[in-house]
């Protein structure tokens, strides 16, 4: 019996056998090897073979142990009763039909109510099922699809894009900056755009990327910012000797040290903080993004400047005609004639490079970003910039306030003088002309005005 079952098992395709069927046949082989030995009584072997053929391998040993003590006629009747539907015509041998019936007779599933012929018992008809079936779409790598987030996993999210298996989007492909959990960037049931980044694997699953779509949109945004010359905020991610690395609109950007503040490099305390910057270079092909904090500060400073404002600055360069002073990232000119009321022959001796000073804005050109500065207007006494610079810088705000008041008084005086001139001209043009008789009596014809 064991040999015949083994041959049948070898001849069948493995994919046609379920796990239960395989375990059943293996149990038969093991039990048959234990029972069919030279020392086992013949009656016990017959009982085991018959009960096993009937399909009840779990009760084979128990039934065999209870029946082999019975006399042969009674034993044969008991076996027939047990077999009911699997009758063996000749004990010890089986025909082909008996062998197939015993092998597959107990593995057929049948519902408790039986197989009904009415589709209403199932709940739907085959026509309805066919109407609901759609063609399974397929995608290739690089295509953009819209999918619904179905669930979260520790390292990604499952997305339904309308194919036979749920697609997968890993954490690193979920956003421009890798999140800690997929819940930070996705919501269950929401629709998102993804890009196919792989072919189907052995399970029919596709790999998706949302980061590539967001990257394209981010490059378009920064290109528009540069065209508009717009100030944007970036988060400092790292600092080194050459400058700093920032995250601008989700993209990595480089801030050169020369474009932070004049004479300064970005300190480590800036890591994690926001910094206002302007875009200097946007190169998507080479993945290069360069920004400037100094340029952003210049634009902000020049918008807030007004004539008479006192600023702190550092002398960055000295020329024969004056000195250049950095004020809030912007370079202004302090002309030699505006340093002091007294004569100056050598600018470097009064304002060396690197010296911190205070100066006043006397004129500006916001369109060109030019600012004219003066320290002469901050002198309470002529020549203080040459004699006592500390006093000039200490009293700069008070002196500037007095200077503004003086400018305001002068402006009002000029306006009043202009109004007087206008009123005088109006009175001249509005007076009526003198009569001819009166004019003849007062001024003889023989006498001209310039002769008298």
């Amino acid at each position: 019996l064991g040999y015949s079952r083994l041959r049948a098992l070898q001849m069948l395709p493995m994919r046609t056998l379920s796990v239960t069927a395989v375990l059943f046949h293996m149990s038969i082989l093991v039990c048959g090897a234990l029972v069919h030995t030279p020392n086992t009584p013949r009656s016990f072997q017959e009982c085991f073979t018959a009960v096993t053929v009937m399909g009840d391998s779990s009760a084979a040993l128990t039934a065999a142990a209870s029946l082999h003590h019975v006399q042969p006629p009674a034993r044969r009747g008991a076996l027939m009763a047990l077999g009911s539907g699997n009758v063996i015509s000749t004990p010890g041998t089986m025909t082909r039909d008996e062998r197939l019936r015993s092998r597959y007779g107990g593995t057929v599933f049948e519902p408790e109510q039986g197989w009904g012929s009415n589709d209403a018992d199932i709940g739907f008809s085959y026509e309805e099922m066919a109407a609901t079936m759609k063609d399974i779409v397929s995608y290739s790598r690089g295509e953009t699809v819209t999918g619904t987030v179905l669930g979260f996993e520790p390292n990604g999210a499952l997305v339904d894009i309308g194919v036979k298996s749920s697609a997968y989007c890993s954490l690193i492909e979920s956003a421009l900056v890798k999140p800690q959990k997929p819940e930070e960037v996705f919501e269950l049931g929401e629709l998102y755009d993804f890009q196919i980044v792989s072919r189907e694997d052995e399970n029919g699953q596709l790999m998706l990327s949302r980061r590539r779509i967001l990257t394209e949109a981010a490059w378009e945004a920064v290109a528009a910012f540069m065209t508009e010359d717009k100030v944007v905020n970036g988060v400092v991610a790292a600092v080194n000797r050459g400058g700093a690395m920032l995250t601008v609109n989700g993209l990595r950007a480089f801030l050169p040290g020369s474009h932070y503040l004049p004479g300064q490099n970005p300190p480590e305390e800036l890591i994690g903080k926001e910094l206002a910057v302007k875009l200097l270079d946007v190169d998507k092909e080479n993945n290069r993004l360069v920004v400037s904090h100094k340029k952003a500060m210049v634009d902000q400073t020049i918008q807030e400047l007004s004539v008479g404002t006192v600023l702190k600055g550092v002398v960055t360069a000295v020329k024969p005609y004056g000195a250049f002073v950095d004020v809030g990232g912007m370079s202004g000119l302090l002309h030699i004639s505006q340093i002091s009321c007294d004569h100056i022959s050598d600018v470097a001796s009064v304002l060396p490079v690197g010296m911190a000073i205070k100066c006043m804005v006397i004129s500006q050109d916001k369109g060109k970003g030019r600012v004219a500065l003066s320290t002469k207007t901050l002198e309470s006494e002529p020549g203080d910039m040459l004699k006592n610079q500390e006093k000039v810088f200490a009293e700069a705000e008070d002196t500037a306030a007095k200077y503004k008041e003086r400018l305001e008084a002068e402006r009002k005086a000029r306006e009043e003088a202009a109004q007087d001139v206008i009123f005088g001209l109006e009175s001249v043009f509005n007076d009526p002309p003198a009569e001819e008789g009166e004019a003849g009596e007062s001024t003889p014809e023989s006498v001209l005005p310039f002769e008298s």
Side-chain angles (χ1 to χ4, degrees):
L1 177 63
Y3 177 76
S4 63
R5 286 184 177 273
L6 180 61
R7 292 293 300 171
L9 184 63
Q10 292 176 348
M11 293 173 63
L12 289 174
M14 291 303 295
R15 65 179 61 185
T16 63
L17 296 178
S18 64
V19 176
T20 305
V22 173
L23 294 177
F24 173 76
H25 285 81
M26 293 303 297
S27 64
I28 293 300
L29 294 177
V30 174
C31 294
L34 294 175
V35 173
H36 291 79
T37 61
N39 296 329
T40 304
R42 179 67 180 175
S43 60
F44 188 90
Q45 296 179 2
E46 292 178 357
C47 293
F48 175 81
T49 301
V51 177
T52 303
V53 169
M54 294 170 194
D56 192 2
S57 62
S58 62
L61 293 176
T62 304
S66 61
L67 291 178
H68 85 281
H69 296 289
V70 186
Q71 295 299 323
R75 183 190 311 131
R76 193 174 297 109
L79 292 175
M80 293 293 293
L82 287 173
S84 65
N86 295 329
V87 180
I88 301 175
S89 58
T90 304
T93 61
M94 290 188 296
T95 63
R96 179 177 178 275
D97 294 338
E98 293 172 346
R99 183 166 59 252
L100 294 176
R101 184 169 59 252
S102 65
R103 181 176 300 165
Y104 303 109
T107 60
V108 178
F109 170 77
E110 185 174 354
E112 295 181 358
Q113 289 81 15
W115 297 103
S117 59
N118 189 3
D119 293 337
D121 298 337
I122 305 176
F124 62 91
S125 63
Y126 285 103
E127 289 76 11
E128 294 175 347
M129 183 180 68
T132 58
M133 295 179 64
K134 300 178 180 179
D135 294 336
I136 299 177
V137 297
S138 60
Y139 298 103
S140 58
R141 184 161 47 186
E143 292 188 37
T144 301
V145 298
T146 301
T148 305
V149 178
L150 298 178
F152 299 134
E153 293 190 354
N155 296 321
L158 295 175
V159 183
D160 178 20
I161 58 174
V163 295
K164 59 185 178 181
S165 180
S166 298
Y168 185 75
C169 182
S170 61
L171 278 180
I172 195 171
E173 295 293 338
S174 299
L176 291 173
V177 180
K178 181 181 177 182
Q180 297 295 328
K181 297 179 180 179
E183 293 89 336
E184 298 177 5
V185 293
F186 293 127
E187 292 185 9
L188 289 177
E190 294 295 328
L191 293 173
Y192 298 93
D193 292 332
F194 299 91
Q195 188 177 31
I196 308 294
V197 295
S198 71
R199 297 186 178 91
E200 292 185 357
D201 58 8
E202 62 274 8
N203 298 320
Q205 191 174 62
L206 292 169
M207 299 297 294
L208 305 178
S209 173
R210 180 161 171 78
R211 180 178 62 87
R212 298 191 181 184
I213 295 179
L214 296 177
T215 301
E216 292 290 332
W219 279 109
E220 293 178 1
V222 295
F225 293 156
M226 184 175 180
T227 303
E228 299 171 1
D229 198 26
K230 187 176 180 180
V231 177
V232 296
N233 291 329
V235 180
V236 180
V239 173
N240 52 40
R241 291 184 298 177
M245 298 300 299
L246 282 74
T247 302
V248 179
N249 202 34
L251 302 175
R252 300 281 287 181
F254 176 62
L255 172 65
S258 59
H259 280 272
Y260 173 59
L261 288 176
Q264 301 182 36
N265 278 332
E268 294 185 358
E269 290 77 11
L270 284 177
I271 296 178
K273 297 182 180 180
E274 287 190 351
L275 204 63
V277 295
K278 272 197 169 186
L279 299 165
L280 295 180
D281 186 17
V282 177
D283 189 350
K284 177 183 174 182
E285 299 298 329
N286 296 320
N287 196 27
R288 184 175 60 196
L289 191 63
V290 183
V291 296
S292 172
H293 175 60
K294 181 174 69 174
K295 189 176 180 181
M297 292 301 297
V298 168
D299 290 350
Q300 292 181 359
T301 302
I302 200 169
Q303 295 297 328
E304 299 172 356
L305 285 182
S306 61
V307 176
T309 304
V310 177
L311 301 174
K312 293 181 180 180
V314 178
V315 179
T316 57
V318 175
K319 302 296 181 181
Y321 51 85
F324 287 95
V325 182
D326 177 77
V327 284
M330 179 175 53
S331 181
L333 175 62
L334 178 57
H335 196 266
I336 188 172
S337 62
Q338 291 294 330
I339 296 177
S340 178
C341 294
D342 290 350
H343 176 72
I344 297 176
S345 58
D346 186 11
V347 179
S349 61
V350 181
L351 299 174
V353 176
M355 179 181 178
I357 65 172
K358 287 184 179 180
C359 51
M360 178 187 289
V361 178
I362 57 175
S363 67
Q364 62 175 339
D365 187 348
K366 293 184 179 180
K368 297 181 179 180
R370 295 176 181 176
V371 179
L373 307 174
S374 174
T375 55
K376 180 174 70 174
T377 55
L378 299 178
E379 292 179 329
S380 56
E381 297 292 337
D384 282 347
M385 276 298 296
L386 304 178
K387 303 171 186 177
N388 192 353
Q389 293 183 356
E390 292 77 6
K391 177 185 176 182
V392 174
F393 300 147
E395 300 176 354
E397 286 75 11
D398 296 336
T399 308
K402 296 177 182 179
Y403 179 76
K404 286 182 179 180
E405 293 177 358
R406 188 168 65 251
L407 289 180
E408 185 67 20
E410 293 176 356
R411 183 183 64 80
K412 290 182 178 180
R414 287 194 299 269
E415 290 180 354
E416 292 176 357
Q419 290 179 356
D420 292 341
V421 172
I422 293 173
F423 292 152
L425 292 175
E426 288 179 352
S427 62
V428 170
F429 288 107
N430 291 333
D431 287 342
E435 296 181 359
E436 295 180 358
E438 296 178 356
E441 294 177 358
S442 60
T443 307
E445 294 181 0
S446 60
V447 180
L448 295 177
F450 57 84
E451 294 180 351
S452 56

